[in-house]
Amino acid sequence: MAVRLGLSLPQARQYDLGRDVPHVARAAERIGYDSLWVYERALFPDPPTQGLGGMEGVPWPDQYRAVPEPLVTLTLAAAATERAELGTSVLVAPLHGPFQLAKSLATLDAASGGRVVAGLGTGWSTDEYAAAGVGTFAERGQVLDEIIDVCRAVWGPDPVRYEGRHTRIASSVVGPKPARPIPVLLPAFSGKAMRRLVDRADGWMPIAMAGADRLAQEWRQLQDLAAERGRTRPIRTSVRVNAQYSPKAYDGSDRAPFQGSVDQIVEDLVAHAGIGLEEFFFELQGGMRDARELEDVAAELFEKARAAGV
């Protein structure tokens, strides 16, 4: 059975938000993509106070200078499409009030006919937490736990009641409800994060960046942990691919996974698809000149992936 394929929506500075997001969303659905994705960057420190990903001296990419709000972006895509799922990869959950985030996700799911996938993470930018965090950066894991609890409560039957550190919901009717249970996916790189995923989430959202063997090893580790902790329900998988597209094939012997021409990206996808994971979605938009190039490359990638049996 072919894996599901998804595409990230245009959020970088070179795109026109109101025009290009609906256009690319419609095009991706027409091409055959199963899902559409957005990411979150709340701000761009200038001058920088922290390196990319918290790594000292690593600059932030220019495309982070004006990233539109993820759920607004997904709403534009929802209105332009009928079938494709609408995912966040990732939404930095502790930058959002738990109750309002739960209600926004439920509203978008109801409006789109049950297509939202909530990929949630804790982020790494201390500047974002200073500007918008519900708690401190050190509390981010605890806040994420509470957000998941609040979402489950708000999305569940009325009356809704919740008592937590940051959120108190008196017995209330809260609507609209999601059209179906919204799947919650987590990246989960550390042992603690993997335990949270196994115990509390619906699925896993890794990044394919170190090769198929490494990803397969991480998947086995997660499955072993699930068995150890007594989880019986399946773990949904959606793999993010930060592709570095080049119109010409990359001829270096040290080519990184998913770097180079469409043919080379498909070659790497074939290797990764054998692991047994359900879905791969491509982050291409940051390196494209405009929406037309993004649509053209996405169409070629989809066609060649299917031709290769993925």
Side-chain angles (χ1 to χ4, degrees):
M1 182 177 179
V3 300
R4 290 164 50 86
L5 296 177
L7 183 70
S8 289
L9 291 167
Q11 292 178 275
R13 298 175 72 195
Q14 65 266 39
Y15 301 105
D16 182 291
L17 180 66
R19 179 191 67 207
D20 291 341
V21 169
H23 173 82
V24 170
R26 282 191 294 267
E29 191 172 71
R30 182 178 66 251
I31 290 165
Y33 281 98
D34 300 292
S35 55
L36 304 167
W37 298 84
V38 294
Y39 72 97
E40 180 163 35
R41 274 280 65 84
L43 48 72
F44 186 99
D46 190 14
T49 57
Q50 182 185 24
L52 180 69
M55 297 179 288
E56 185 175 353
V58 180
W60 291 39
D62 190 65
Q63 72 183 68
Y64 284 178
R65 285 186 176 273
V67 179
E69 204 282 330
L71 295 186
V72 172
T73 306
L74 276 188
T75 301
L76 292 170
T81 56
E82 298 179 352
R83 173 187 56 79
E85 286 194 313
L86 307 162
T88 58
S89 173
V90 293
L91 189 147
V92 185
L95 303 183
H96 302 260
F99 177 81
Q100 193 58 49
L101 177 58
K103 188 171 174 70
S104 295
L105 288 167
T107 301
L108 181 56
D109 192 74
S112 65
R115 294 192 281 145
V116 171
V117 179
L120 307 179
T122 55
W124 47 265
S125 170
T126 54
D127 292 289
E128 290 182 337
Y129 273 83
V134 172
T136 66
F137 185 73
E139 298 172 312
R140 61 195 184 279
Q142 297 172 5
V143 175
L144 177 58
D145 285 335
E146 181 162 321
I147 286 171
I148 294 172
D149 287 341
V150 171
C151 285
R152 303 293 193 203
V154 168
W155 299 342
D158 294 321
V160 175
R161 302 180 184 88
Y162 184 81
E163 184 79 20
R165 182 174 180 182
H166 301 282
T167 309
R168 293 183 177 88
I169 308 173
S171 180
S172 304
V173 175
V174 183
K177 299 296 184 185
R180 86 325 183 198
I182 298 174
V184 173
L185 277 58
L186 303 176
F189 302 113
S190 68
K192 184 175 181 179
M194 283 190 171
R195 290 190 294 273
R196 174 184 290 116
L197 188 157
V198 166
D199 294 345
R200 305 172 61 82
D202 300 293
W204 183 42
M205 182 176 286
I207 302 175
M209 57 189 298
D213 290 343
R214 176 64 179 273
L215 186 61
Q217 178 185 356
E218 293 172 347
W219 177 226
R220 288 193 298 269
Q221 180 182 354
L222 186 62
Q223 289 177 303
D224 290 345
L225 180 64
E228 177 186 316
R229 299 180 75 82
R231 176 170 175 144
T232 57
R233 60 192 177 101
I235 297 173
R236 173 172 173 164
T237 53
S238 294
V239 183
R240 180 186 180 98
V241 175
N242 293 330
Q244 297 182 39
Y245 164 75
S246 169
K248 295 183 178 180
Y250 184 79
D251 59 4
S253 59
D254 58 345
R255 182 178 70 88
F258 299 104
Q259 179 187 65
S261 67
V262 166
D263 288 335
Q264 289 176 315
I265 293 171
V266 169
E267 177 185 334
D268 292 331
L269 179 61
V270 169
H272 284 71
I275 297 171
L277 303 171
E278 299 169 81
E279 180 175 34
F280 291 81
F281 60 93
F282 295 96
E283 164 58 50
L284 291 166
Q285 55 95 19
M288 300 291 110
R289 291 189 303 271
D290 53 30
R292 179 181 293 275
E293 184 181 33
L294 175 57
E295 179 182 348
D296 290 345
V297 173
E300 183 183 359
L301 178 57
F302 185 89
E303 179 182 351
K304 290 186 173 181
R306 291 307 190 213
V310 178

